[in-house]
Amino acid sequence: MKLSSMTSHSQRGMALLVSLVFLLLLTLIGISSMQNATLQEKMAGSVTLRNQSFQSAEAALRIGESAVQVDTYTLPVCSGTSQCAPPAESSSIAAAGFNSTSGVTWIAAGTGFYGVQNIGTTLTAVNVPSNTSATLYRVTAVGFPGTSRNSRSVVESIYAKY
């Protein structure tokens, strides 16, 4: 009888200690899961914004290409290295209007902008009949998701008109 009473005396409080350790482990797992869920939600939101800005830029690009397709569309040939290069302001443009550095007039289209540059004529354009002169236009479009200006996509195409 003495032996059994000594064993129960030495184990008093051990169940409380073990349950507190398990509770601590479960709390740490719960906190980690919440942080992971928050991170995944932020990543999903970022992907959504990226897709929206890309679709906006793609829509503005198609509007710009449609403007160039019109038979009466004319634009002077760009001059100099800075005006014939892709417009550098596409990474910072926030409003429609003329940019004197690149010589591009930015036009609002939906939730984005597009600009067109006449980069000259050529006889060797792709998908144009041989020995046919084609005027090349660079159409650059910038898209934003809704009213946000933090996320942007820039797309560009070369349009050959003959």
Side-chain angles (χ1 to χ4, degrees):
M1 199 139 159
K2 268 186 166 183
L3 190 57
S4 68
S5 94
M6 284 179 64
T7 309
S8 67
H9 249 305
S10 64
Q11 291 189 8
R12 279 196 182 153
M14 195 58 147
L16 178 62
L17 183 62
V18 169
S19 63
L20 285 175
V21 169
F22 278 129
L23 185 60
L24 177 66
L25 288 175
L26 288 174
T27 302
L28 291 175
I29 290 171
I31 290 171
S32 174
S33 296
M34 288 300 292
Q35 287 177 339
N36 190 20
T38 303
L39 178 64
Q40 287 182 4
E41 186 177 349
K42 287 180 182 179
M43 289 188 308
S46 178
V47 168
T48 301
L49 285 176
R50 185 188 68 195
N51 287 340
Q52 288 175 349
S53 69
F54 179 76
Q55 290 173 3
S56 175
E58 190 74 21
L61 182 71
R62 298 298 169 234
I63 292 170
E65 289 174 344
S66 295
V68 172
Q69 287 177 0
V70 175
D71 289 336
T72 57
Y73 187 85
T74 58
L75 192 67
V77 178
C78 61
S79 60
T81 307
S82 65
Q83 289 197 343
C84 288
E89 72 271 9
S90 61
S91 63
S92 61
I93 186 168
F98 180 74
N99 184 288
S100 59
T101 306
S102 65
V104 174
T105 300
W106 293 96
I107 300 166
T111 58
F113 305 99
Y114 74 88
V116 181
Q117 295 168 293
N118 181 342
I119 54 177
T121 58
T122 184
L123 291 174
T124 60
V126 177
N127 295 331
V128 173
S130 59
N131 294 326
T132 302
S133 177
T135 303
L136 301 178
Y137 293 93
R138 177 185 293 121
V139 183
T140 305
V142 181
F144 306 100
T147 58
S148 172
R149 299 289 190 221
N150 296 332
S151 175
R152 73 176 55 223
S153 293
V154 179
V155 292
E156 191 173 89
S157 70
I158 303 293
Y159 186 86
K161 187 174 178 180
Y162 61 96

